[in-house]
């Protein structure tokens, strides 16, 4: 024992106590704040929200390890503050310690940017109105190393950091794969988008043209944001909560899943005074409430937002601010539990269960994994966020018994049968004009290559066909608008696209080219706008097109989620005013479908360099498309040759 004590004493007295260098202190502090890309993003998101931003976009490369960029339209950073913005304990949100008791912003220590600059290469581009230009800066270890350099930029701030943990190899090796880190980033963005429905937030991978997550912003309803982010499968099972209490002083808003929804792991999204925090006590409370409703091993989805008096909350208890302490904790927990029980008590009188669908075998209703085991073959899994590319996937068209093999194809399922005689008449006309052989050639073809901007070669079995894909796409869009009459998914513009100046500019261009005479372009544009607003209710209900005084609010999705080129919008608006028979119902609907199809095809042709591929995918393997006979008579589809004919030619040689 004496030997052990002597050894311990010698070890303890070997090194003298010394003060750590600033570099070591800063790296240790940065390691506490920035644990992974998602934690750095959380800090930067909170800075953007503190700056009163209404639009925030996030770009990620390799899970945030190579690049993470966040751009907002907030108030920006003053030029004179750029020199110290990345130094530790520099902040505009706190002046004395007593301010912590009434702090309403997310940040208050001034450590976020400083910490990031010690473990990554940090750059900032900011424009603070009323400045005429933006300023670009680069930082390292909390110090300004380049700038401020004047540059072009919009009001707001763009913060980007590259090569995260480049100087901390152990922390870098401890990170997950890029896909794992990206999923954690998406989870953080989803939570802040849910808490801030008025803010438009998007997140996408570097180089991608499509955002993996986008909230539209401007929503006053959290339910709308939940449906946008998490989809209808979850949102339809959510119950809204909004309760207030004077004792304890607390306001509770949230969404909780009912007994029809469950998952293998509890999802608890908790905000206290708009701060994303973790609450072990509330997590246990939620589990106890749902224990009586859900089967063992199943857990709910819960979003809670608590608003407490600022003086009752201590926010300075954790380096990353993911935990807070507050007074009257037991009474608040009791209040939250009572609110959840009360909401569930009124909405869980019935349960929904999956039932067999007529016409489907039990084998087709089995989970994909079991089908793979039983059939000894790979069954592609369904992915609702992407276009289906494998015909073996389970789709709605398999739920309806249509024509047999001798008659052609199975019809596509209609989510809603039109009740208007005019629409049924137009659909009947489409079926009557169908050329089954041409339809089969187009829908079961293979894209060979482009010949010109409009023409492409398609191979259908042994036939080589020259097809005007733009003409076929016009018919595809027309039939799509008819078959989805009254139930279109929409592309929403926020803010609305102003129509009047676009129409004025278009008319002036036509006048300069000698196409029209001297006219009052402003009067025509105002009249057209007023006319479209008067027809907006009908257009919105039946076709997903909505106009307001400010301009175009939304249009239907025709070729997927691609946003069309709006340069064709003035001509489209004028055609709605002048070329539609608004007096007769059937003629009106046919004209509107034709006008919309022309707008989407022409705008897609202008905006997408791969428009021919877009047009081809619109009818390829589409079981609802009917190719009219006129496509084979007007030169839109010409059979060039067949393999049998080529064999005869080569046999002669």
């Amino acid at each position: 024992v004496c030997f052990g004590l002597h050894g311990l004493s010698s070890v303890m007295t070997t090194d003298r106590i010394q003060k750590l260098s600033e570099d070591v202190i800063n790296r240790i502090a940065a390691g506490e704040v920035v644990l992974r890309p998602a934690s750095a993003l959380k800090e930067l998101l909170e800075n953007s929200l503190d700056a009163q931003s209404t639009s925030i976009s996030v770009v990620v490369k390799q899970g945030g390890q190579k690049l993470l960029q966040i751009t907002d339209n907030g108030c920006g950073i003053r030029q004179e503050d750029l020199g110290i913005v990345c130094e530790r304990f520099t902040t505009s949100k706190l002046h004395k310690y007593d301010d912590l008791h009434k702090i309403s912003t997310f940040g208050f220590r001034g450590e976020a940017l400083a910490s990031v600059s010690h473990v990554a290469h940090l750059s900032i581009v900011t424009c603070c109105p009323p400045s005429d230009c933006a300023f670009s800066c680069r930082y390292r270890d909390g110090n300004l190393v380049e700038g401020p350099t004047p540059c072009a930029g919009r009001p707001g701030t763009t913060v980007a950091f590259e090569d995260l943990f480049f100087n901390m190899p152990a922390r870098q090796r401890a990170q997950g794969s890029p896909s794992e880190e990206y999923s954690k980033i998406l989870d953080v963005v989803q939570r802040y988008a849910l808490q801030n429905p008025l803010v438009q937030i998007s997140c996408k991978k570097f180089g991608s043209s499509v955002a993996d997550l986008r909230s539209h912003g401007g929503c006053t309803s959290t339910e709308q944001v939940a449906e946008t982010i998490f989809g209808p499968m979850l949102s339809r099972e959510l119950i809204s909560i909004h309760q207030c209490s004077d004792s304890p002083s607390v306001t509770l808003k949230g969404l909780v899943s009912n007994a029809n929804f469950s998952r293998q792991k509890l999802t608890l999204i908790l905000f206290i005074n708009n701060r994303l925090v973790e609450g072990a006590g509330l997590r246990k409370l939620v589990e106890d409430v749902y224990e009586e409703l859900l089967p063992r091993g199943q857990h709910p989805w819960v979003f809670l937002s608590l608003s407490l008096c600022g003086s009752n909350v201590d926010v300075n208890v954790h380096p990353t601010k993911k935990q807070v302490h507050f007074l009257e904790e037991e009474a608040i927990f009791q209040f939250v539990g009572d609110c959840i029980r009360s909401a569930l008590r009124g909405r869980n009188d019935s349960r929904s269960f999956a039932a067999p669908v007529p016409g489907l075998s039990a084998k087709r209703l089995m989970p994909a994994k079991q089908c793979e085991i039983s059939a000894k073959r790979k069954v592609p899994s369904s992915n609702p966020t992407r276009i289906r590319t494998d015909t073996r996937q389970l789709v709605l068209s398999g739920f309806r018994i249509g024509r047999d093999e001798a008659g052609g194809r199975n019809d596509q399922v209609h989510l809603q049968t039109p009740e208007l005689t005019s629409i049924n008449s137009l659909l009947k006309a489409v079926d009557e004009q169908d050329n089954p052989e041409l339809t089969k050639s187009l829908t079961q073809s293979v894209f060979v290559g482009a010949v010109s901007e409009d023409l492409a070669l398609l191979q259908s079995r042994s036939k080589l066909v020259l097809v005007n894909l733009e003409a076929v796409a016009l018919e595809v869009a027309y039939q799509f608008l008819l078959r989805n009459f009254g139930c279109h998914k929409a592309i929403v513009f926020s803010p609305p696209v102003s129509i009047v100046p676009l129409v004025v500019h278009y008319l002036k261009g036509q006048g300069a080219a000698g196409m029209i005479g001297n006219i009052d372009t402003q009067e025509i544009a105002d009249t057209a706008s007023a006319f479209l607003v008067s027809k907006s209710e009908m257009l919105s209900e039946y076709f997903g097109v909505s106009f307001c005084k400010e301009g175009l609010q939304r249009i239907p999705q025709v070729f997927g989620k691609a946003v069309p080129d709006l340069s064709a919008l003035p001509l489209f608006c004028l055609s709605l005013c002048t070329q539609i028979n608004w007096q007769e119902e059937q003629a009106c609907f046919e004209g509107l479908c034709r006008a919309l199809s022309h707008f989407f095809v022409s705008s897609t042709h202008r905006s997408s360099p791969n428009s021919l591929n877009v047009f081809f995918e619109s009818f390829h393997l589409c079981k609802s498309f009917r190719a009219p006979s006129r496509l084979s008579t007007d030169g839109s589809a010409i059979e060039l040759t067949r393999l049998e004919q080529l064999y005869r030619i080569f046999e002669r040689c």
Side-chain angles (χ1 to χ4, degrees):
V1 175
C2 293
F3 175 79
L5 291 174
H6 175 73
L8 179 62
S9 176
S10 63
V11 171
M12 293 178 63
T13 58
T14 299
D15 297 327
R16 296 186 60 186
I17 298 175
Q18 59 182 355
K19 184 177 181 180
L20 295 175
S21 66
E22 285 295 325
D23 180 63
V24 175
I25 293 173
N26 290 327
R27 287 197 188 182
I28 292 174
E32 293 178 343
V33 176
V34 184
L35 305 177
R36 57 184 353 109
S39 59
L41 173 66
K42 175 181 178 293
E43 301 290 338
L44 299 180
L45 269 176
E46 291 179 347
N47 282 349
S48 295
L49 292 171
D50 280 338
Q52 304 299 314
S53 304
T54 59
S55 177
I56 302 174
S57 62
V58 180
V59 178
V60 183
K61 184 177 183 181
Q62 292 191 16
Q65 299 171 17
K66 284 297 182 182
L67 170 69
L68 197 152
Q69 175 182 293
I70 178 168
T71 303
D72 63 56
N73 63 347
C75 61
I77 305 173
R78 293 186 178 91
Q79 180 185 359
E80 54 268 24
D81 295 335
L82 290 173
I84 63 171
V85 70
C86 285
E87 294 182 9
R88 291 188 69 197
F89 309 123
T90 55
T91 178
S92 62
K93 305 157 187 174
L94 188 70
H95 299 286
K96 56 182 184 295
Y97 184 79
D98 290 341
D99 292 341
L100 275 176
H101 300 305
K102 55 183 178 180
I103 194 78
S104 60
T105 58
F106 295 103
F108 53 85
R109 295 197 192 103
E111 287 188 300
L113 291 175
S115 298
V116 172
S117 71
H118 283 280
V119 294
H121 300 120
L122 178 67
S123 62
I124 297 177
V125 177
T126 183
C127 178
C128 182
S131 176
D132 296 331
C133 65
F135 293 91
S136 173
C137 303
R138 299 186 67 86
Y139 299 86
R140 183 166 184 176
D141 296 334
N143 299 315
L144 178 65
V145 296
E146 182 181 331
T149 304
C151 62
R154 297 178 178 179
T157 304
T158 297
V159 179
F161 61 81
E162 303 173 82
D163 303 321
L164 185 63
F165 302 128
F166 73 96
N167 53 359
M168 300 176 69
R171 179 66 63 85
Q172 195 175 47
R173 290 192 296 269
Q175 300 299 302
S177 65
S179 60
E180 291 174 352
E181 296 299 331
Y182 186 63
S183 66
K184 295 180 185 296
I185 288 174
L186 278 178
D187 183 64
V188 172
V189 177
Q190 286 175 343
R191 294 173 182 238
Y192 277 95
L194 191 62
Q195 174 65 16
N196 299 275
L198 295 175
V199 182
Q200 179 182 349
I201 302 179
S202 65
C203 181
K204 69 175 184 177
K205 293 181 180 178
F206 178 80
S208 174
S209 59
V210 180
D212 295 305
L213 183 147
R214 180 185 297 276
S215 67
H216 299 300
C219 298
T220 57
S221 171
T222 308
E223 293 91 329
Q224 296 178 12
V225 182
E227 181 175 3
T228 301
I229 297 175
F230 299 102
M233 184 175 294
L234 171 62
S235 63
R236 74 167 69 101
E237 307 295 348
L238 295 180
I239 305 171
S240 178
I241 298 176
H242 188 182
Q243 297 290 337
C244 301
S245 173
D246 294 329
S247 181
S249 179
V250 57
T251 299
L252 171 63
K253 295 181 181 180
L255 299 170
V256 298
S257 60
N258 60 24
N260 288 327
F261 182 88
S262 63
R263 51 178 54 183
Q264 295 181 349
K265 186 178 179 182
L266 170 65
T267 298
L268 174 61
I269 303 175
L270 176 61
F271 283 82
I272 296 181
N273 287 2
N274 291 325
R275 297 179 183 278
L276 179 62
V277 297
E278 296 177 358
L282 283 173
R283 177 177 289 270
K284 179 66 168 59
L285 171 68
V286 170
E287 292 279 22
D288 292 342
V289 170
Y290 278 88
E291 187 176 13
E292 303 174 358
L293 300 174
L294 301 179
R296 180 176 297 178
Q298 297 298 306
H299 304 276
W301 186 98
V302 176
F303 162 65
L304 300 175
S305 179
L306 292 169
S307 298
L308 310 176
C309 180
S311 59
N312 294 341
V313 182
D314 186 0
V315 297
N316 190 30
V317 296
H318 194 275
T320 62
K321 302 184 287 292
K322 68 178 183 180
Q323 295 178 4
V324 296
H325 291 166
F326 48 87
L327 301 179
E328 301 181 289
E329 184 175 287
E330 184 176 347
I332 291 175
F333 281 10
Q334 181 66 38
F335 170 74
V336 173
D338 292 342
C339 290
I340 297 177
R341 290 188 186 93
S342 176
L344 293 173
R345 192 178 301 118
R347 294 287 296 275
N348 286 285
D349 296 334
S350 62
R351 299 288 181 92
S352 299
F353 300 94
V357 179
L360 286 179
S361 65
K363 181 178 179 181
R364 291 189 69 182
L365 289 174
M366 291 170 59
K369 187 174 182 182
Q370 296 183 21
C371 289
E372 181 178 353
I373 296 174
S374 62
K376 299 297 183 182
R377 64 183 178 85
K378 184 177 179 181
V379 177
S381 61
S382 167
N383 190 340
T385 63
R386 291 179 173 82
I387 298 173
R388 184 179 65 90
T389 58
D390 196 310
T391 57
R392 293 175 296 170
Q393 281 187 228
L394 187 63
V395 293
L396 287 175
S397 57
F399 288 16
R400 177 176 174 177
I401 307 299
R403 286 184 275 181
D404 56 17
E405 290 298 322
R409 310 163 310 280
N410 287 337
D411 293 331
Q412 188 181 26
V413 168
H414 300 299
L415 298 180
Q416 177 178 343
T417 303
E419 299 179 356
L420 296 178
T421 305
S422 56
I423 294 297
N424 287 326
S425 299
L426 293 173
L427 288 173
K428 183 179 179 180
V430 169
D431 291 332
E432 291 175 350
Q433 297 169 11
D434 178 30
N435 184 333
E437 183 179 355
L438 178 59
T439 300
K440 188 174 182 180
S441 297
L442 292 176
T443 57
Q444 298 181 10
S445 60
V446 177
F447 188 86
V448 177
V451 177
S452 66
E453 292 184 354
D454 303 325
L455 302 177
L457 288 175
L458 306 182
Q459 179 183 345
S460 177
R461 296 187 178 181
S462 63
K463 296 185 293 185
L464 186 64
V465 186
L466 181 66
V467 180
N468 186 328
L469 291 183
E470 185 171 347
V472 178
L474 283 171
E475 191 64 28
V476 172
Y478 171 73
Q479 295 182 19
F480 174 85
L481 291 164
L482 284 178
R483 297 186 190 281
N484 292 272
F485 181 83
C487 54
H488 290 285
K489 294 183 179 179
I491 300 172
V492 180
F493 297 103
S494 180
V497 179
S498 182
I499 296 174
V500 173
L502 292 177
V503 173
V504 170
H505 180 75
Y506 172 78
L507 293 175
K508 288 182 178 179
Q510 295 293 306
M515 303 296 293
I516 57 177
N518 295 327
I519 57 174
D520 188 343
T521 57
Q522 185 65 44
E523 182 181 357
I524 293 178
D526 291 337
T527 304
S529 176
F531 179 80
L532 293 175
V533 171
S534 69
K535 301 294 184 182
S536 179
E537 184 176 358
M538 184 271 285
L539 291 172
S540 176
E541 181 179 359
Y542 293 154
F543 298 101
V545 181
S546 178
F547 292 94
C548 64
K549 293 181 179 180
E550 289 75 21
L552 178 64
Q553 288 181 307
R554 62 190 181 105
I555 54 176
Q557 293 181 10
V558 175
F559 295 116
K561 297 182 179 179
V563 179
D565 182 7
L566 297 182
S567 60
L569 182 60
L571 183 59
F572 168 66
C573 293
L574 291 174
S575 67
L576 293 184
C577 298
T578 59
Q579 299 181 12
I580 305 298
N581 183 354
W582 294 94
Q583 305 302 321
E584 297 182 9
E585 184 179 284
Q586 182 169 329
C588 176
F589 289 157
E590 181 179 9
L592 288 173
C593 289
R594 295 293 183 189
L596 281 167
S597 61
H598 275 89
F599 168 66
F600 276 96
V601 170
S602 62
S603 59
T604 302
H605 194 66
R606 296 179 185 179
S607 62
S608 175
N610 301 318
S611 59
L612 292 185
N613 290 331
V614 174
F615 295 156
F616 175 71
E617 291 295 336
S618 67
F619 63 81
H620 181 236
L621 298 177
C622 178
K623 295 184 178 181
S624 65
F625 174 60
R626 304 287 186 268
S629 299
R630 58 177 172 78
L631 291 180
S632 59
T633 59
D634 64 5
S636 298
I638 303 174
E639 181 182 324
L640 299 180
T641 186
R642 298 190 180 208
L643 284 177
E644 296 85 354
Q645 297 174 348
L646 294 177
Y647 287 149
R648 296 193 190 104
I649 294 174
F650 285 115
E651 285 174 356
R652 295 170 188 166
C653 298

